[in-house]
């Protein structure tokens, strides 16, 4: 069955939709379905996307293409609407990334539409109506529940009339607000007790939502939800160019800022460069800006104290609502914002809610009742609160859930034993049944269901012939959460294949004692490594609610959830030998990239991915790696080590030595960790002292003064070590072009000899002083331009790229890397030469869905699964 995956779209959630569409594309069972990526751009055009663009970090990384962008001296990434009303440029942009499709052409390419669109046009009945017109069955709810699910104001009326408990709430209309904001602010302040919540009624992913704590914050929050913003021109003109650029990057970001085009005095401004000129040139004291896609109404709600939860409700095979185990959301701040929702390790998802079983069951029943009241079909996500005064308040039914690997959609399905691939298959079957209930194409849809069931029967028989791959994830380093995300991504790519059967293996413990556990799917999909560790070490019985739901879902799991372990099993390395044919190490830092686990696997004769023991032990040590590379003639930054024993004897003397050798600013970082954990630009004596105090602390808790000096977040990872690395700051001097790049290298064997092949490098653009964790691994964050822009002239850029790739290949060869690796470097391009300065080598690079190595592999013609398959095949042969 050809499954058209609709993703992207016109809403402010388009980046999450883009990443979710990629998740669906990767997880669809390839033995049952042929995924077809249908990208919907922000103008509403349908594009049959060339598959390699799926693996870009953000939409703006590839669309519109650089060739169609207006000049941007400050390099702003923009969406297609910033091209203005230029049909030729828009048409050229569409054709550069795929095949434009008219609605009446969709049925030539797809049999079924899987909707991963969010917000207006995606989950409001628009796309559902269009697909029904052209007789294309689609996933999820039909037109009526979709139009209810998008509108928080209508939902309030339905909830109230159905007798559900609601927070105190009120609506503000745009016209009234613009006429008399003072009176409305005074009215809200008199009617509500602070804090209160201001919401945009048609947005998701916490966009347009603010928690207001005082009357002083009220006007700004209401304007934010109407997508109105006022800029103080005096403040703007006091900023330097870097600060101005960062401000406009945030302004351009549709999740936080207004985005473009923007209305200024009823005139549309399409591009941030034009906006910069307007701000510089105006004589006004302030400018009021309005989004042409702003809300006409804003909701005010009383703030709810209590436990926030989210519950996926599905339609059972018997046609009844079935609530999956609701998840408690434990946040670091009051607002479950974009970052907290989508970056692993920032918040915690506790499933089921840590409440008495009868309360959890009551929450489930209320969610099922609301599901019926809004006429939902197939599935919905229902959010709510269990308040401190023991009320259950449901406040946000969504007919389309987020589809990222860490989303509630997959998280809760795993609690009944369905992996993402299996759950998507179930959703497709139920959606076909739901469309058949409308009285349209009944016979055709019944035939599609029957054909899918026949294919499922054949699939179940072939499962035992697959290669068992143990995907080892977790660890105990600061990179453990990213390791989980990498491991899950590898698991999901293999689970949807016809060749491999992945088995999730969690590693914890310490350097002297590795503890291994086979994970059931529900624990593998817990929010982060610490949650998983807590679960595998907890010997208590399964929650009675989980047992009850598993029983209720038996008709689903018996048909769809084959070959999945349902209990934790502790293992030794010797146990692995009889259980797996291959170990895919998805660990980062120590252990994993240091040769330790490789030593254990080799002792058992188990093949694995990546480099061997000796090379891994070298590349984990940045100081040792730099020393070897410098001896072999490669450019590396000047560097030195700082040891706790020497620093403790005379801190001032050690700091003075660093000041004499490097001068400020310089870089301080762990010498054997990666993923940007604790990598800091040091600008003063106070900062290097704070960094040392953090690194050499004796307790995991952050000391207050160093934390404040380094501006560390509460949830930031910062290791405790007896040593760290200092490097000179490499920065732009007199060269034509200066770039930070990351390049993947893969190895092959030809006539018994190892051959190194570098992918086209990606140019990495940090929003701050160093590339952050989010920019490396979180979908929709960061700017990775692949291939890197070494020169404006394409021929010269490719010539420079070839030189850089040659250096990366030689570096990998000099260090004895095998399988694959990622090398980070700075590149200086002069008129007569190219200089590549190596930063670090990762022998087991991050393999999260958004990481740059997949973008690079795609340019080389390898889909993520094909890239992973090549890595495994090399490991077997090695």
């Amino acid at each position: 069955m050809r499954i058209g995956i609709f993703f992207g779209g016109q809403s402010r959630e388009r980046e999450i939709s883009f990443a979710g569409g990629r998740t669906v594309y990767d997880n669809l069972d390839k033995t049952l379905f042929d995924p077809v990526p249908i990208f919907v751009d922000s103008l509403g055009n349908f594009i049959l996307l060339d598959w390699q663009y799926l693996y870009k970090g953000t939409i703006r990384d590839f669309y519109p293409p650089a060739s169609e962008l207006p000049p941007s001296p400050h390099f702003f990434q923009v969406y297609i609407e910033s091209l203005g009303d230029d049909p030729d440029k828009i048409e050229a942009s569409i054709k550069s990334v795929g095949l434009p499709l008219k609605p009446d052409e969709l049925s030539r390419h797809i049999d079924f539409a899987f909707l991963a669109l969010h917000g207006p046009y995606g989950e409001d009945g628009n796309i559902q109506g269009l697909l029904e017109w052209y007789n294309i069955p689609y996933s999820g709810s039909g037109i009526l529940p979709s139009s209810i699910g998008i509108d928080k104001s209508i939902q309030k009326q339905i909830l109230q009339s159905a007798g559900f408990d609601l927070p105190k709430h009120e609506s503000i209309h745009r016209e009234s607000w613009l006429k008399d904001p003072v009176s409305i602010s005074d009215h809200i302040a008199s009617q509500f007790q602070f804090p209160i919540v201001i919401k945009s009624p048609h947005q998701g992913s916490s966009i347009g939502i603010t928690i207001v704590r005082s009357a002083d914050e009220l006007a700004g929050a209401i304007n934010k939800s109407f997508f109105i913003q006022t800029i103080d021109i005096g403040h703007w003109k006091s900023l330097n160019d870097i600060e101005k650029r960062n401000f406009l990057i945030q302004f351009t970001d549709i999740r936080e800022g207004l985005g473009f085009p923007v209305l200024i005095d009823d005139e549309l401004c399409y591009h941030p460069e034009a906006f910069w000129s307007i701000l510089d040139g105006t004589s006004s004291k302030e400018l009021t800006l309005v989004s042409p896609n702003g809300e006409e109404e804003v909701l005010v709600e009383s703030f709810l104290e209590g436990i926030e939860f989210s519950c996926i409700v599905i339609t059972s095979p018997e046609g009844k609502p079935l609530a999956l185990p609701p998840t408690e959301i434990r946040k670091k701040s009051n607002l479950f914002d974009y970052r907290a929702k989508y970056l692993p390790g920032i918040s915690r998802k506790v499933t089921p809610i840590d409440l008495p079983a009868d309360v959890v069951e009551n929450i489930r029943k209320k969610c099922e009742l609301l599901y019926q009241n809004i006429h939902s079909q197939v599935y919905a996500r229902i959010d709510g609160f269990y308040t401190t005064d023991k009320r259950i308040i449901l406040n946000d039914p969504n007919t389309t859930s987020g589809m990222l690997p860490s989303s509630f959609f997959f998280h809760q399905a795993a609690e009944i034993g369905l992996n993402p691939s299996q759950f998507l298959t179930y959703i497709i079957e139920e959606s076909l049944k739901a469309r058949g209930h409308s009285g349209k194409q009944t016979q055709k849809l019944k035939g599609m269901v029957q054909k899918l069931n026949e294919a499922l029967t054949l699939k179940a028989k072939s499962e035992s012939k697959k290669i068992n791959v143990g995907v080892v994830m977790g660890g105990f380093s600061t990179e453990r959460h990213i390791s989980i995300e990498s491991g899950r991504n590898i698991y999901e790519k293999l689970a949807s294949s016809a060749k491999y059967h992945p088995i999730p293996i969690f590693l914890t413990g310490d350097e002297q004692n590795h503890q291994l556990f086979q994970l059931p799917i529900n624990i593998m999909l817990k929010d982060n490594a610490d949650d998983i560790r807590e679960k595998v070490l907890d010997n208590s019985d399964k929650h009675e609610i989980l047992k009850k739901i598993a029983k209720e879902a038996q008709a689903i799991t018996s048909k769809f959830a084959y070959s999945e372990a349902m209990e934790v099993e502790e293992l030794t390395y010797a146990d692995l030998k009889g259980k797996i044919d291959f170990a895919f190490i998805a660990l980062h830092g120590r252990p994993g990239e240091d040769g330790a686990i490789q030593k254990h696997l080799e002792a058992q004769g188990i093949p694995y991915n990546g480099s061997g023991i000796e090379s891994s032990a070298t590349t984990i040590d940045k100081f040792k790696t730099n020393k070897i590379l410098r001896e072999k003639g490669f450019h590396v930054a000047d560097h030195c080590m700082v040891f706790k024993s020497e620093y403790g004897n005379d801190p001032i003397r050690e700091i003075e030595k660093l000041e004499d050798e490097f001068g400020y600013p310089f870089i301080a970082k762990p010498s054997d960790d990666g993923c940007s954990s604790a990598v800091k630009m040091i600008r003063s004596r106070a900062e290097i002292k704070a960094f040392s105090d953090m690194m050499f602390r004796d307790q995991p808790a952050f000391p207050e003064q160093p934390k404040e000096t380094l501006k560390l977040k509460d949830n930031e990872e910062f290791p405790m070590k007896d040593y760290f690395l200092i490097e000179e700051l490499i920065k732009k001097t007199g060269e034509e072009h200066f770039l930070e790049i990351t390049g993947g290298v893969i190895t092959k064997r030809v006539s018994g000899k190892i051959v190194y092949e570098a992918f086209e490098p990606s140019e990495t653009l940090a929003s701050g002083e160093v590339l952050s964790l989010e920019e490396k691994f979180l979908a929709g964050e960061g700017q990775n331009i692949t291939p890197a822009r070494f020169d404006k002239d394409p021929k010269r850029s490719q010539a420079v790229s070839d030189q850089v790739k040659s250096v990366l290949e030689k570096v990998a060869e000099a260090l004895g890397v095998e399988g694959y690796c990622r090398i980070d470097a700075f590149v200086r391009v002069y008129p007569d030469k190219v200089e590549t300065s190596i930063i670090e080598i990762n022998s087991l690079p991050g393999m999260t869905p958004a990481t740059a190595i997949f973008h690079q592999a795609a340019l080389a013609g390898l889909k993520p699964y094909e890239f992973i398959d090549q890595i495994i095949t090399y490991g077997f042969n090695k």
Side-chain angles (χ1 to χ4, degrees), residues 158-185:
I158 291 172
L159 283 159
Q160 200 155 16
S161 63
F164 286 91
D165 209 346
L166 292 175
K168 183 177 180 179
H169 63 279
E170 198 168 310
S171 293
I172 301 172
H173 293 277
R174 187 187 193 94
E175 193 174 335
S176 304
W177 171 251
L178 293 175
K179 277 182 183 173
D180 195 354
V182 174
S183 295
I184 289 174
S185 295

Side-chain angles (χ1 to χ4, degrees), residues 308-355:
E308 188 173 357
F309 64 82
S310 192
C311 183
I312 300 291
V313 183
I314 60 176
T315 299
S316 73
E318 297 80 29
K320 297 177 181 177
L322 171 61
L324 298 179
T327 298
E328 176 185 347
I329 304 155
R330 292 184 183 170
K331 312 176 291 293
K332 297 287 184 180
S333 63
N334 281 322
L335 184 61
F336 189 45
D337 62 10
Y338 183 92
R339 187 172 183 269
K341 282 184 175 178
Y342 301 116
L343 184 67
I346 300 300
S347 61
R348 292 189 68 195
K349 298 185 181 84
V350 179
T351 309
I353 305 173
D354 188 14
L355 288 168

Side-chain angles (χ1 to χ4, degrees), residues 41 43 45 47 63-71 79-97 271:
D41 75 5
L43 300 176
N45 297 301
I47 306 169
Y63 187 80
S67 59
E68 302 306 322
L69 291 173
Y79 291 104
I80 191 74
E81 52 265 39
S82 282
L83 298 186
D85 298 320
D86 189 330
D88 293 337
K89 279 186 173 292
I90 291 167
E91 184 181 3
S93 295
I94 292 170
K95 289 180 176 176
S96 74
V97 298
H271 198 280

